[in-house]
Amino acid sequence: MKLYTISGLGADEKVLEKLTFNQNIEVVHIPWLIPNLNEDFYEYILRMSESIDDSEEFYLLGYSFGGIIVQEIHKLKPAKKIVILGSIRCDAEKSRLIKAGQKTNAIKYIPTRVFNGNTTLFYSFFRKLFDPKNPRLNQYFRVKDPYYLKWSMDKVAHWKFDKIPDVIQILADKDIVFPIKNSQPDFVIKNATHLFPATKPKEVSEILKTIFV
């Protein structure tokens, strides 16, 4: 059975590489595409879904922003099972910070150059959100195109979605990006931050092996 995975905003497959699965699972990572200028979210989802072969059953796994993407893909190409790591099942689960970004539309007014992932300021902001005590965030945060980062953050802020039945949610108890208090996750990773797929891979893998069989 193929398992299609999508990583978090700005992250490549390295953040998920420590996760292990049952032997019959074939993992296929879908890399981030750079959005076209003024590309509609639906059109972007269509492009991200193109590499998925839905002529046979498959699984979906998304981390953080990738969790939002796989749920949107699921509406186009339904998966047998879908798991989201460090992500939300509907817009009601957004944090206060994200809701404020939606209400004020602030991201639209920030110059694209500010989202340069190579700057110390931007890196420091991401580190505080993801895992303040982890100095190695740069090894996971590799997709640094400014337009992609700004576009993606805006889409997260304005995402509108109702819960899909049977979406399995795994959250960390110390996640700042998507606080656990706003959700009712199926599984909780203890003493972990938003970066938990990389920092707590054993615990996460044990859960995933019971889901993707």
Side-chain angles (χ1 to χ4, degrees):
M1 178 79 74
K2 286 185 179 179
L3 166 63
Y4 294 93
T5 68
I6 300 179
S7 192
L9 195 157
D12 62 9
E13 67 272 16
K14 191 172 180 63
V15 75
L16 304 175
E17 70 177 3
K18 293 182 181 178
L19 299 180
T20 58
F21 302 90
N22 293 316
Q23 290 185 351
N24 64 312
I25 301 299
E26 179 186 349
V27 179
V28 180
H29 182 73
I30 301 176
W32 287 114
L33 300 174
I34 303 303
N36 296 320
L37 187 63
N38 299 320
E39 184 170 17
D40 178 81
F41 192 42
Y42 179 75
E43 293 174 350
Y44 184 78
I45 297 299
L46 280 174
R47 289 205 293 132
M48 287 291 289
S49 70
E50 286 178 354
S51 59
I52 295 177
D53 177 12
D54 62 346
S55 65
E56 55 186 16
E57 290 186 326
F58 63 93
Y59 297 137
L60 283 172
L61 170 70
Y63 165 57
S64 194
F65 184 41
I68 289 176
I69 298 296
V70 296
Q71 289 176 88
E72 291 286 354
I73 289 176
H74 182 69
K75 294 191 297 185
L76 301 174
K77 296 182 176 182
K80 184 177 182 181
K81 291 182 180 179
I82 177 172
V83 173
I84 58 175
L85 307 174
S87 191
I88 51 178
R89 286 187 276 207
C90 62
D91 53 282
E93 297 181 359
K94 292 177 183 177
S95 67
R96 289 183 179 180
L97 178 63
I98 295 175
K99 288 180 179 179
Q102 175 185 349
K103 186 175 182 179
T104 62
N105 204 24
I107 297 173
K108 289 281 189 181
Y109 300 102
I110 301 175
T112 302
R113 65 177 183 275
V114 175
F115 293 85
N116 187 336
N118 291 312
T119 64
T120 302
L121 176 65
F122 197 84
Y123 172 76
S124 298
F125 170 74
F126 258 69
R127 183 176 171 184
K128 287 179 181 178
L129 276 180
F130 279 59
D131 193 332
K133 296 182 180 180
N134 194 319
R136 298 177 296 175
L137 183 59
N138 244 349
Q139 68 177 298
Y140 309 115
F141 184 65
R142 296 186 173 188
V143 187
K144 300 180 180 182
D145 180 87
Y147 183 76
Y148 154 78
L149 293 172
K150 178 177 180 176
W151 183 93
S152 298
M153 289 183 184
D154 181 68
K155 297 312 175 197
V156 172
H158 290 89
W159 188 55
K160 291 287 187 179
F161 203 76
D162 295 324
K163 287 184 180 180
I164 297 177
D166 302 324
V167 171
I168 300 170
Q169 183 184 44
I170 304 175
L171 288 179
D173 61 351
K174 296 182 178 180
D175 195 325
I176 298 175
V177 180
F178 297 118
I180 194 171
K181 66 180 181 180
N182 297 335
S183 304
Q184 294 179 320
D186 300 284
F187 300 93
V188 177
I189 305 300
K190 299 292 186 180
N191 194 31
T193 64
H194 190 66
L195 205 57
F196 71 90
T199 60
K200 300 280 186 176
K202 183 177 180 180
E203 293 92 325
V204 179
S205 296
E206 289 175 354
I207 295 171
L208 295 177
K209 286 176 181 177
T210 67
I211 299 171
F212 300 130
V213 296

